[in-house]
Amino acid sequence: MLRIGVMVSGGGTNLQAILDKITDGNLKNCVVVTVVSNNKNAYALERAKQNDIPSAVISRKAFADTKEYDKALIKHFTEFKCDLIVLAGFLSLIGEGFIKLFKNRIINIHPSLIPSFCGKGYYGIVPHQKALEYGVKVTGATVHFVEPEYDSGPVILQKAVAVEEGDTPESLQKRVMEQAEWEILPEAIRLISNNRLKVDGRIVRIL
Ligand code: GRF
């Protein structure tokens, strides 16, 4: 059984996508054992409650420094015996200590085709605004392993989504979430739960 800890900051639609795929049997041998948010008002915490999943609010600003914040996260996810940490709409940076301890066991969903429209400040609606400003015809979403720099780790899965005439940042974000994010994040978890990923430097191979 793959024990998953999910980190959230907002609405939790990516968390919901994972829970739905577990419920409908698409994601076998996986269980979300805890949800952690940096934002006590995140609706994602309500989704955890509705699914009887233990949750916690652990926010960087509650700690003297990143090292203490790291220690709190490590303590929490170790206590829940998590095999995999999933950043699902999580908007804060996590520390190097945590990343090193959970090397290649932390994944993130980003709402663009990395390396486009990513890095510090590119979160939520911003990647979609930038994609429209640039005039790209295709955008999408990326699941990648987490490394200390924002959105910098080896790419696991990507899915492209067409930009349509008359798109607003909001309509584009909705399509990327529905057609890409909510598909490739659970799929990446499924591959990991079946030991189907091999990381070779920066290259992630699906076995
Ligand atoms: C999504 O666009 C996700 O890609 C980004 O945050 C947004 C909200 O995600 N990281 P969620 O609804 O909280 O899962």
Side-chain angles (χ1 to χ4, degrees), residues 59-83:
S59 164
R60 169 69 184 78
K61 57 180 182 287
F63 297 90
D65 55 34
T66 301
K67 205 162 172 320
E68 290 308 308
Y69 174 50
D70 256 10
K71 274 163 63 179
L73 289 175
I74 290 168
K75 181 172 181 295
H76 182 88
F77 289 118
T78 305
E79 278 171 2
F80 278 88
K81 300 183 177 60
C82 292
D83 304 303

PDB file of all heavy atoms in Angstrom, residues 59-83:
ATOM      1  N   SER A  59       2.643  25.987   8.801  1.00  0.00           N
ATOM      2  CA  SER A  59       2.971  27.121   7.935  1.00  0.00           C
ATOM      3  C   SER A  59       4.383  27.648   8.245  1.00  0.00           C
ATOM      4  O   SER A  59       4.759  27.769   9.416  1.00  0.00           O
ATOM      5  CB  SER A  59       1.945  28.236   8.168  1.00  0.00           C
ATOM      6  OG  SER A  59       2.436  29.445   7.641  1.00  0.00           O
ATOM      7  N   ARG A  60       5.107  27.951   7.207  1.00  0.00           N
ATOM      8  CA  ARG A  60       6.500  28.424   7.349  1.00  0.00           C
ATOM      9  C   ARG A  60       6.583  29.589   8.330  1.00  0.00           C
ATOM     10  O   ARG A  60       7.505  29.673   9.140  1.00  0.00           O
ATOM     11  CB  ARG A  60       7.025  28.847   5.966  1.00  0.00           C
ATOM     12  CG  ARG A  60       8.348  29.612   5.979  1.00  0.00           C
ATOM     13  CD  ARG A  60       9.510  28.760   6.375  1.00  0.00           C
ATOM     14  NE  ARG A  60      10.739  29.544   6.459  1.00  0.00           N
ATOM     15  CZ  ARG A  60      11.041  30.342   7.483  1.00  0.00           C
ATOM     16  NH1 ARG A  60      10.207  30.464   8.516  1.00  0.00           N
ATOM     17  NH2 ARG A  60      12.189  31.017   7.500  1.00  0.00           N
ATOM     18  N   LYS A  61       5.544  30.472   8.307  1.00  0.00           N
ATOM     19  CA  LYS A  61       5.654  31.707   9.126  1.00  0.00           C
ATOM     20  C   LYS A  61       5.533  31.414  10.627  1.00  0.00           C
ATOM     21  O   LYS A  61       5.814  32.258  11.472  1.00  0.00           O
ATOM     22  CB  LYS A  61       4.652  32.767   8.687  1.00  0.00           C
ATOM     23  CG  LYS A  61       3.198  32.382   8.699  1.00  0.00           C
ATOM     24  CD  LYS A  61       2.365  33.604   8.220  1.00  0.00           C
ATOM     25  CE  LYS A  61       0.889  33.365   8.226  1.00  0.00           C
ATOM     26  NZ  LYS A  61       0.427  32.473   7.151  1.00  0.00           N
ATOM     27  N   ALA A  62       5.143  30.178  10.961  1.00  0.00           N
ATOM     28  CA  ALA A  62       5.007  29.828  12.388  1.00  0.00           C
ATOM     29  C   ALA A  62       6.352  29.387  12.977  1.00  0.00           C
ATOM     30  O   ALA A  62       6.447  29.080  14.174  1.00  0.00           O
ATOM     31  CB  ALA A  62       3.993  28.699  12.519  1.00  0.00           C
ATOM     32  N   PHE A  63       7.392  29.367  12.112  1.00  0.00           N
ATOM     33  CA  PHE A  63       8.690  28.850  12.588  1.00  0.00           C
ATOM     34  C   PHE A  63       9.775  29.909  12.460  1.00  0.00           C
ATOM     35  O   PHE A  63       9.713  30.772  11.584  1.00  0.00           O
ATOM     36  CB  PHE A  63       9.070  27.592  11.797  1.00  0.00           C
ATOM     37  CG  PHE A  63       8.079  26.467  12.002  1.00  0.00           C
ATOM     38  CD1 PHE A  63       6.982  26.341  11.172  1.00  0.00           C
ATOM     39  CD2 PHE A  63       8.228  25.584  13.057  1.00  0.00           C
ATOM     40  CE1 PHE A  63       6.050  25.332  11.375  1.00  0.00           C
ATOM     41  CE2 PHE A  63       7.306  24.574  13.276  1.00  0.00           C
ATOM     42  CZ  PHE A  63       6.211  24.450  12.433  1.00  0.00           C
ATOM     43  N   ALA A  64      10.765  29.768  13.320  1.00  0.00           N
ATOM     44  CA  ALA A  64      11.849  30.784  13.360  1.00  0.00           C
ATOM     45  C   ALA A  64      12.614  30.796  12.036  1.00  0.00           C
ATOM     46  O   ALA A  64      13.028  31.844  11.551  1.00  0.00           O
ATOM     47  CB  ALA A  64      12.783  30.457  14.508  1.00  0.00           C
ATOM     48  N   ASP A  65      12.807  29.607  11.465  1.00  0.00           N
ATOM     49  CA  ASP A  65      13.554  29.556  10.196  1.00  0.00           C
ATOM     50  C   ASP A  65      13.133  28.304   9.407  1.00  0.00           C
ATOM     51  O   ASP A  65      12.375  27.478   9.896  1.00  0.00           O
ATOM     52  CB  ASP A  65      15.065  29.532  10.473  1.00  0.00           C
ATOM     53  CG  ASP A  65      15.451  28.393  11.406  1.00  0.00           C
ATOM     54  OD1 ASP A  65      14.810  27.315  11.319  1.00  0.00           O
ATOM     55  OD2 ASP A  65      16.337  28.588  12.252  1.00  0.00           O
ATOM     56  N   THR A  66      13.675  28.186   8.207  1.00  0.00           N
ATOM     57  CA  THR A  66      13.269  27.078   7.320  1.00  0.00           C
ATOM     58  C   THR A  66      13.649  25.728   7.926  1.00  0.00           C
ATOM     59  O   THR A  66      12.953  24.733   7.775  1.00  0.00           O
ATOM     60  CB  THR A  66      13.927  27.238   5.934  1.00  0.00           C
ATOM     61  OG1 THR A  66      13.517  28.501   5.403  1.00  0.00           O
ATOM     62  CG2 THR A  66      13.514  26.147   4.977  1.00  0.00           C
ATOM     63  N   LYS A  67      14.772  25.731   8.677  1.00  0.00           N
ATOM     64  CA  LYS A  67      15.237  24.461   9.281  1.00  0.00           C
ATOM     65  C   LYS A  67      14.187  23.913  10.251  1.00  0.00           C
ATOM     66  O   LYS A  67      13.830  22.740  10.212  1.00  0.00           O
ATOM     67  CB  LYS A  67      16.559  24.732  10.026  1.00  0.00           C
ATOM     68  CG  LYS A  67      17.475  23.520  10.183  1.00  0.00           C
ATOM     69  CD  LYS A  67      18.908  23.989  10.525  1.00  0.00           C
ATOM     70  CE  LYS A  67      19.867  22.869  10.882  1.00  0.00           C
ATOM     71  NZ  LYS A  67      19.349  21.806  11.701  1.00  0.00           N
ATOM     72  N   GLU A  68      13.614  24.819  11.054  1.00  0.00           N
ATOM     73  CA  GLU A  68      12.581  24.400  12.024  1.00  0.00           C
ATOM     74  C   GLU A  68      11.301  23.978  11.302  1.00  0.00           C
ATOM     75  O   GLU A  68      10.638  23.014  11.673  1.00  0.00           O
ATOM     76  CB  GLU A  68      12.296  25.548  12.999  1.00  0.00           C
ATOM     77  CG  GLU A  68      13.441  25.828  13.969  1.00  0.00           C
ATOM     78  CD  GLU A  68      13.907  24.583  14.705  1.00  0.00           C
ATOM     79  OE1 GLU A  68      13.050  23.878  15.300  1.00  0.00           O
ATOM     80  OE2 GLU A  68      15.119  24.269  14.640  1.00  0.00           O
ATOM     81  N   TYR A  69      11.010  24.708  10.220  1.00  0.00           N
ATOM     82  CA  TYR A  69       9.822  24.374   9.407  1.00  0.00           C
ATOM     83  C   TYR A  69      10.002  22.983   8.804  1.00  0.00           C
ATOM     84  O   TYR A  69       9.136  22.123   8.886  1.00  0.00           O
ATOM     85  CB  TYR A  69       9.679  25.432   8.319  1.00  0.00           C
ATOM     86  CG  TYR A  69       8.600  25.212   7.290  1.00  0.00           C
ATOM     87  CD1 TYR A  69       7.283  24.913   7.658  1.00  0.00           C
ATOM     88  CD2 TYR A  69       8.883  25.341   5.927  1.00  0.00           C
ATOM     89  CE1 TYR A  69       6.280  24.750   6.707  1.00  0.00           C
ATOM     90  CE2 TYR A  69       7.888  25.173   4.963  1.00  0.00           C
ATOM     91  CZ  TYR A  69       6.599  24.873   5.354  1.00  0.00           C
ATOM     92  OH  TYR A  69       5.609  24.706   4.402  1.00  0.00           O
ATOM     93  N   ASP A  70      11.194  22.756   8.249  1.00  0.00           N
ATOM     94  CA  ASP A  70      11.535  21.443   7.691  1.00  0.00           C
ATOM     95  C   ASP A  70      11.335  20.338   8.715  1.00  0.00           C
ATOM     96  O   ASP A  70      10.735  19.300   8.437  1.00  0.00           O
ATOM     97  CB  ASP A  70      13.017  21.448   7.303  1.00  0.00           C
ATOM     98  CG  ASP A  70      13.204  21.578   5.805  1.00  0.00           C
ATOM     99  OD1 ASP A  70      12.211  21.858   5.120  1.00  0.00           O
ATOM    100  OD2 ASP A  70      14.330  21.364   5.337  1.00  0.00           O
ATOM    101  N   LYS A  71      11.859  20.584   9.927  1.00  0.00           N
ATOM    102  CA  LYS A  71      11.788  19.561  10.977  1.00  0.00           C
ATOM    103  C   LYS A  71      10.341  19.208  11.296  1.00  0.00           C
ATOM    104  O   LYS A  71       9.987  18.042  11.478  1.00  0.00           O
ATOM    105  CB  LYS A  71      12.523  20.042  12.243  1.00  0.00           C
ATOM    106  CG  LYS A  71      14.033  19.737  12.213  1.00  0.00           C
ATOM    107  CD  LYS A  71      14.844  20.532  13.208  1.00  0.00           C
ATOM    108  CE  LYS A  71      14.520  20.291  14.663  1.00  0.00           C
ATOM    109  NZ  LYS A  71      15.417  21.138  15.532  1.00  0.00           N
ATOM    110  N   ALA A  72       9.484  20.225  11.301  1.00  0.00           N
ATOM    111  CA  ALA A  72       8.054  19.993  11.607  1.00  0.00           C
ATOM    112  C   ALA A  72       7.399  19.157  10.500  1.00  0.00           C
ATOM    113  O   ALA A  72       6.639  18.221  10.777  1.00  0.00           O
ATOM    114  CB  ALA A  72       7.337  21.327  11.753  1.00  0.00           C
ATOM    115  N   LEU A  73       7.741  19.463   9.253  1.00  0.00           N
ATOM    116  CA  LEU A  73       7.169  18.703   8.123  1.00  0.00           C
ATOM    117  C   LEU A  73       7.682  17.262   8.160  1.00  0.00           C
ATOM    118  O   LEU A  73       6.914  16.302   8.026  1.00  0.00           O
ATOM    119  CB  LEU A  73       7.537  19.361   6.792  1.00  0.00           C
ATOM    120  CG  LEU A  73       6.866  20.685   6.466  1.00  0.00           C
ATOM    121  CD1 LEU A  73       7.437  21.260   5.164  1.00  0.00           C
ATOM    122  CD2 LEU A  73       5.348  20.533   6.351  1.00  0.00           C
ATOM    123  N   ILE A  74       8.996  17.106   8.387  1.00  0.00           N
ATOM    124  CA  ILE A  74       9.594  15.758   8.424  1.00  0.00           C
ATOM    125  C   ILE A  74       8.957  14.943   9.543  1.00  0.00           C
ATOM    126  O   ILE A  74       8.553  13.795   9.353  1.00  0.00           O
ATOM    127  CB  ILE A  74      11.120  15.856   8.604  1.00  0.00           C
ATOM    128  CG1 ILE A  74      11.776  16.419   7.331  1.00  0.00           C
ATOM    129  CG2 ILE A  74      11.722  14.489   8.961  1.00  0.00           C
ATOM    130  CD1 ILE A  74      13.235  16.820   7.495  1.00  0.00           C
ATOM    131  N   LYS A  75       8.797  15.587  10.701  1.00  0.00           N
ATOM    132  CA  LYS A  75       8.184  14.887  11.862  1.00  0.00           C
ATOM    133  C   LYS A  75       6.768  14.408  11.510  1.00  0.00           C
ATOM    134  O   LYS A  75       6.420  13.249  11.710  1.00  0.00           O
ATOM    135  CB  LYS A  75       8.151  15.828  13.067  1.00  0.00           C
ATOM    136  CG  LYS A  75       7.561  15.238  14.345  1.00  0.00           C
ATOM    137  CD  LYS A  75       7.746  16.195  15.534  1.00  0.00           C
ATOM    138  CE  LYS A  75       7.194  15.621  16.827  1.00  0.00           C
ATOM    139  NZ  LYS A  75       5.692  15.462  16.752  1.00  0.00           N
ATOM    140  N   HIS A  76       5.999  15.314  10.910  1.00  0.00           N
ATOM    141  CA  HIS A  76       4.599  14.977  10.601  1.00  0.00           C
ATOM    142  C   HIS A  76       4.523  13.813   9.610  1.00  0.00           C
ATOM    143  O   HIS A  76       3.861  12.796   9.846  1.00  0.00           O
ATOM    144  CB  HIS A  76       3.878  16.204  10.029  1.00  0.00           C
ATOM    145  CG  HIS A  76       2.437  15.940   9.735  1.00  0.00           C
ATOM    146  ND1 HIS A  76       1.451  16.103  10.679  1.00  0.00           N
ATOM    147  CD2 HIS A  76       1.831  15.483   8.608  1.00  0.00           C
ATOM    148  CE1 HIS A  76       0.284  15.764  10.149  1.00  0.00           C
ATOM    149  NE2 HIS A  76       0.492  15.393   8.900  1.00  0.00           N
ATOM    150  N   PHE A  77       5.247  13.937   8.489  1.00  0.00           N
ATOM    151  CA  PHE A  77       5.120  12.914   7.435  1.00  0.00           C
ATOM    152  C   PHE A  77       5.780  11.591   7.834  1.00  0.00           C
ATOM    153  O   PHE A  77       5.388  10.520   7.372  1.00  0.00           O
ATOM    154  CB  PHE A  77       5.679  13.443   6.116  1.00  0.00           C
ATOM    155  CG  PHE A  77       4.805  14.515   5.495  1.00  0.00           C
ATOM    156  CD1 PHE A  77       5.301  15.802   5.308  1.00  0.00           C
ATOM    157  CD2 PHE A  77       3.493  14.244   5.137  1.00  0.00           C
ATOM    158  CE1 PHE A  77       4.486  16.792   4.749  1.00  0.00           C
ATOM    159  CE2 PHE A  77       2.679  15.218   4.580  1.00  0.00           C
ATOM    160  CZ  PHE A  77       3.170  16.493   4.396  1.00  0.00           C
ATOM    161  N   THR A  78       6.780  11.682   8.731  1.00  0.00           N
ATOM    162  CA  THR A  78       7.398  10.448   9.240  1.00  0.00           C
ATOM    163  C   THR A  78       6.439   9.736  10.190  1.00  0.00           C
ATOM    164  O   THR A  78       6.252   8.516  10.132  1.00  0.00           O
ATOM    165  CB  THR A  78       8.727  10.784   9.956  1.00  0.00           C
ATOM    166  OG1 THR A  78       9.557  11.510   9.032  1.00  0.00           O
ATOM    167  CG2 THR A  78       9.458   9.520  10.380  1.00  0.00           C
ATOM    168  N   GLU A  79       5.778  10.520  11.027  1.00  0.00           N
ATOM    169  CA  GLU A  79       4.791   9.928  11.961  1.00  0.00           C
ATOM    170  C   GLU A  79       3.681   9.193  11.194  1.00  0.00           C
ATOM    171  O   GLU A  79       3.196   8.153  11.616  1.00  0.00           O
ATOM    172  CB  GLU A  79       4.166  11.018  12.843  1.00  0.00           C
ATOM    173  CG  GLU A  79       5.028  11.385  14.030  1.00  0.00           C
ATOM    174  CD  GLU A  79       4.519  12.623  14.776  1.00  0.00           C
ATOM    175  OE1 GLU A  79       3.454  13.188  14.375  1.00  0.00           O
ATOM    176  OE2 GLU A  79       5.205  13.036  15.725  1.00  0.00           O
ATOM    177  N   PHE A  80       3.324   9.751  10.026  1.00  0.00           N
ATOM    178  CA  PHE A  80       2.260   9.103   9.228  1.00  0.00           C
ATOM    179  C   PHE A  80       2.828   8.055   8.263  1.00  0.00           C
ATOM    180  O   PHE A  80       2.137   7.533   7.408  1.00  0.00           O
ATOM    181  CB  PHE A  80       1.454  10.164   8.464  1.00  0.00           C
ATOM    182  CG  PHE A  80       0.394  10.809   9.325  1.00  0.00           C
ATOM    183  CD1 PHE A  80       0.693  11.929  10.095  1.00  0.00           C
ATOM    184  CD2 PHE A  80      -0.879  10.261   9.407  1.00  0.00           C
ATOM    185  CE1 PHE A  80      -0.261  12.509  10.913  1.00  0.00           C
ATOM    186  CE2 PHE A  80      -1.853  10.843  10.224  1.00  0.00           C
ATOM    187  CZ  PHE A  80      -1.541  11.972  10.977  1.00  0.00           C
ATOM    188  N   LYS A  81       4.148   7.795   8.395  1.00  0.00           N
ATOM    189  CA  LYS A  81       4.807   6.769   7.568  1.00  0.00           C
ATOM    190  C   LYS A  81       4.527   6.950   6.076  1.00  0.00           C
ATOM    191  O   LYS A  81       4.164   6.000   5.376  1.00  0.00           O
ATOM    192  CB  LYS A  81       4.398   5.362   8.023  1.00  0.00           C
ATOM    193  CG  LYS A  81       4.764   5.046   9.493  1.00  0.00           C
ATOM    194  CD  LYS A  81       4.391   3.602   9.862  1.00  0.00           C
ATOM    195  CE  LYS A  81       4.813   3.263  11.286  1.00  0.00           C
ATOM    196  NZ  LYS A  81       4.146   4.173  12.304  1.00  0.00           N
ATOM    197  N   CYS A  82       4.661   8.207   5.614  1.00  0.00           N
ATOM    198  CA  CYS A  82       4.380   8.484   4.195  1.00  0.00           C
ATOM    199  C   CYS A  82       5.503   7.960   3.300  1.00  0.00           C
ATOM    200  O   CYS A  82       6.671   8.184   3.558  1.00  0.00           O
ATOM    201  CB  CYS A  82       4.212   9.976   3.982  1.00  0.00           C
ATOM    202  SG  CYS A  82       2.713  10.620   4.759  1.00  0.00           S
ATOM    203  N   ASP A  83       5.076   7.296   2.205  1.00  0.00           N
ATOM    204  CA  ASP A  83       6.044   6.832   1.194  1.00  0.00           C
ATOM    205  C   ASP A  83       6.244   7.899   0.117  1.00  0.00           C
ATOM    206  O   ASP A  83       7.284   7.954  -0.528  1.00  0.00           O
ATOM    207  CB  ASP A  83       5.490   5.579   0.507  1.00  0.00           C
ATOM    208  CG  ASP A  83       5.166   4.486   1.511  1.00  0.00           C
ATOM    209  OD1 ASP A  83       6.081   4.091   2.247  1.00  0.00           O
ATOM    210  OD2 ASP A  83       3.986   4.066   1.586  1.00  0.00           O
TER     211      ASP A  83
END
